[in-house]
Amino acid sequence: MANRLRRLYSRTEAEITVVDRDDAHVYQPGLLFVPFGLAHAEDIVRPRQRQLRQGVEFHLSDVDHVGLDDQHVTLTDGTVLPYDVLIVATGARLQPEETEGMTGDGWMENVFTFYDVAGAMGLHDALERFNGGRLAVNFVDLPIKCPVAPLEFAFLADWYLHERGIRDEVELTFVTPLDGAFTKPVASEHLRSLLGEKHIELVTEFNTGEVDAAGGRLVSYDEREVPFDLLVSIPLHGGCAYVGRSPGLGDDLNFVPADVHSLQSKAKPNVFVIGDASNLPASKAGSVTHFEGEVLTENVRRFLAGEDLDASYDGHANCFIETGFHKALLIDFNYDTEPLPGHFPAGFSPAPLLKESRLNHLGKLMFQWLYWHALLPGRDIPGIGPDMPTSGKVQSG
Ligand SMILES: Cc1cc2nc3c(=O)[nH]c(=O)nc-3n(C[C@H](O)[C@H](O)[C@H](O)COP(=O)(O)OP(=O)(O)OC[C@H]3O[C@@H](n4cnc5c(N)ncnc54)[C@H](O)[C@@H]3O)c2cc1C
């Protein structure tokens, strides 16, 4: 957003400041590959400041709170930043401590998450030491970032264990609170079949209440158990703590309620929200954040010009799902249309939807380049915008 707005406004027209608590920008989709040795931490982390256009101020500090009425952001280093427009873009926070036992003695021993750099690196070492037994992959509850990433991890684990020649020695289980492999019925059915083909056991409607690392048990609230030797868990997610310290800004989970089409917050007209920090019913995904960015840039412009906002964001999300053995699926959907089979972005395109292909796998790998060179600089991707394309999709029935 800062890069987009910097292009839109000259320095005399607008001062633009980015606040972040650290200077290490992680390409988070790359975290999936680190445990399997397919990426290294140093490949996916870059200095934040270098991603910003000249003329964007960068302030390194945690946010303490936002004062909505007097229009200022107070930072933990004592700085007070006044604003005319505030864009909340502080993402989602992992909360492993919210699940009983998860961060106990087994944390980073036989219980891991790959959702941050330290966890992904620790899991890499643990997988290298793993020579057979029960490997369980679980996410505790939605919302989580990239809801397909746990499935991708299970598919890649199947591939990795094959490569090491120990797949037959491992019981691989995917444990989900959902009633199927995924949230939406058509995709859920495709992904369930794929899990079956790969002999990955699917355990559904499992609401994790406790992680018993010493006993090697995942225990649900209704007292079902899944045994494990190695647990890969995606913890509960919440919004940032400072949102909770900013009266009127967030909801109970510290996500920021906003208009689902314009991204204007419910709290104040001059506060907008983008990406994982919002409580929108869109996926928490980088693609969503990018598409929202196009609409939000226009809305900041309209707001400052006193014009009506553009209420056109349709929830468009687009995601490659790595399935192992150098293949991937592609899903494309929005608030109203679930992921459907077909081709993306149109019927003649070689990229199949909801079907494994090598081209989709190459697309997944290419996404990293696109991320650093198009998404972060805030450039539009020609032909792939915030409006979900409908022409290549096949409606069943
Ligand atoms: C393992 C994994 C795989 C993924 N795979 C995909 C994928 O294949 N495709 C896809 O589209 N998306 C994927 N995602 C999701 C994607 O990475 C996120 O949706 C995206 O990064 C969200 O962007 P954001 O700007 O909203 O939040 P973030 O990128 O998380 O940025 C939030 C920023 O806020 C800063 N911050 C937080 N709190 C404070 C504070 N109090 N003070 C100051 N600064 C603060 C943080 O340091 C951070 O820089 C994946 C995520 C993970 C974890």
Side-chain angles (χ1 to χ4, degrees):
M1 280 306 300
N3 287 338
R4 283 178 181 275
L5 291 170
R6 189 67 293 165
R7 276 204 300 277
L8 188 64
Y9 293 110
S10 72
R11 291 191 203 192
T12 49
E13 287 172 315
E15 277 175 37
I16 301 172
T17 305
V18 169
V19 176
D20 208 298
R21 62 183 169 194
D22 63 48
D23 192 27
H25 187 109
V26 180
Y27 170 65
Q28 296 179 51
L31 292 169
L32 172 70
F33 297 106
V34 172
F36 305 106
L38 298 171
H40 300 284
E42 60 271 20
D43 303 333
I44 60 168
V45 184
R46 293 189 183 181
R48 238 177 245 299
Q49 217 164 337
R50 275 205 237 145
Q51 316 309 318
L52 297 171
R53 285 179 80 83
Q54 275 203 335
V56 175
E57 291 295 318
F58 181 68
H59 198 114
L60 193 63
S61 173
D62 238 285
V63 175
D64 185 69
H65 68 276
V66 176
L68 290 172
D69 292 330
D70 46 12
Q71 300 186 188
H72 66 228
V73 180
T74 301
L75 309 183
T76 53
D77 69 4
T79 308
V80 178
L81 294 172
Y83 64 81
D84 297 306
V85 168
L86 174 68
I87 298 173
V88 178
T90 35
R93 189 166 60 98
L94 306 183
Q95 300 176 312
E97 67 286 350
E98 292 290 321
T99 300
E100 192 183 329
M102 191 180 283
T103 52
D105 290 344
W107 186 237
M108 299 288 269
E109 292 291 330
N110 63 344
V111 178
F112 291 87
T113 186
F114 62 97
Y115 265 46
D116 59 24
V117 174
M121 287 169 68
L123 184 52
H124 171 260
D125 297 346
L127 276 174
E128 277 194 339
R129 291 192 300 269
F130 186 70
N131 288 320
R134 291 162 304 197
L135 171 57
V137 182
N138 165 242
F139 68 95
V140 178
D141 204 356
L142 293 176
I144 58 169
K145 301 190 241 195
C146 193
V148 294
L151 277 165
E152 294 183 281
F153 186 92
F155 293 140
L156 278 178
D158 169 64
W159 164 81
Y160 169 89
L161 296 165
H162 264 108
E163 288 290 297
R164 285 190 47 204
I166 56 167
R167 180 62 182 93
D168 290 344
E169 320 300 322
V170 180
E171 269 175 43
L172 185 50
T173 312
F174 185 76
V175 188
T176 168
L178 305 176
D179 60 3
F182 193 54
T183 46
K184 308 287 166 74
V186 175
S188 189
E189 197 42 38
H190 277 77
L191 291 161
R192 190 193 58 76
S193 320
L194 212 51
L195 287 168
E197 279 168 31
K198 293 173 188 290
H199 304 288
I200 301 170
E201 190 192 345
L202 175 63
V203 176
T204 57
E205 296 180 88
F206 190 96
N207 293 304
T208 303
E210 185 195 344
V211 175
D212 171 13
R217 294 178 314 144
L218 201 55
V219 186
S220 68
Y221 283 111
D222 58 3
E223 293 175 2
R224 289 153 70 201
E225 292 187 6
V226 172
F228 65 81
D229 297 300
L230 182 59
L231 173 67
V232 178
S233 187
I234 287 77
L236 291 170
H237 285 32
C240 286
Y242 82 84
V243 173
R245 294 192 296 269
S246 309
L249 184 59
D251 64 12
D252 291 347
L253 296 175
N254 291 339
F255 291 118
V256 177
D259 182 275
V260 297
H261 300 299
S262 73
L263 310 169
Q264 186 177 43
S265 80
K266 304 278 185 189
K268 287 282 177 191
N270 64 338
V271 177
F272 295 84
V273 58
I274 186 168
D276 295 353
S278 85
N279 81 341
L280 262 53
S283 260
K284 296 207 179 297
S287 60
V288 166
T289 311
H290 170 75
F291 296 137
E292 288 175 345
E294 281 194 42
V295 176
L296 186 50
T297 306
E298 174 61 11
N299 276 341
V300 170
R301 188 199 66 72
R302 289 193 188 192
F303 176 80
L304 289 171
E307 298 170 12
D308 289 343
L309 298 186
D310 169 14
S312 71
Y313 180 60
D314 67 0
H316 187 198
N318 178 293
C319 200
F320 291 105
I321 306 176
E322 195 66 15
T323 54
F325 299 91
H326 316 294
K327 291 186 182 165
L329 301 176
L330 176 60
I331 53 174
D332 190 68
F333 55 104
N334 68 11
Y335 291 138
D336 301 321
T337 306
E338 64 175 308
L340 293 170
H343 286 83
F344 180 82
F348 56 79
S349 153
L353 289 165
L354 269 181
K355 194 169 170 214
E356 282 188 291
S357 85
R358 278 179 189 267
L359 187 69
N360 287 339
H361 166 68
L362 292 176
K364 176 97 184 175
L365 298 185
M366 241 203 40
F367 189 66
Q368 179 162 356
W369 186 92
L370 208 65
Y371 185 84
W372 295 114
H373 298 284
L375 272 57
L376 277 194
R379 296 189 192 290
D380 299 348
I381 305 172
I384 305 177
D387 299 336
M388 186 199 75
T390 50
S391 70
K393 298 192 170 60
V394 180
Q395 301 274 351
S396 58

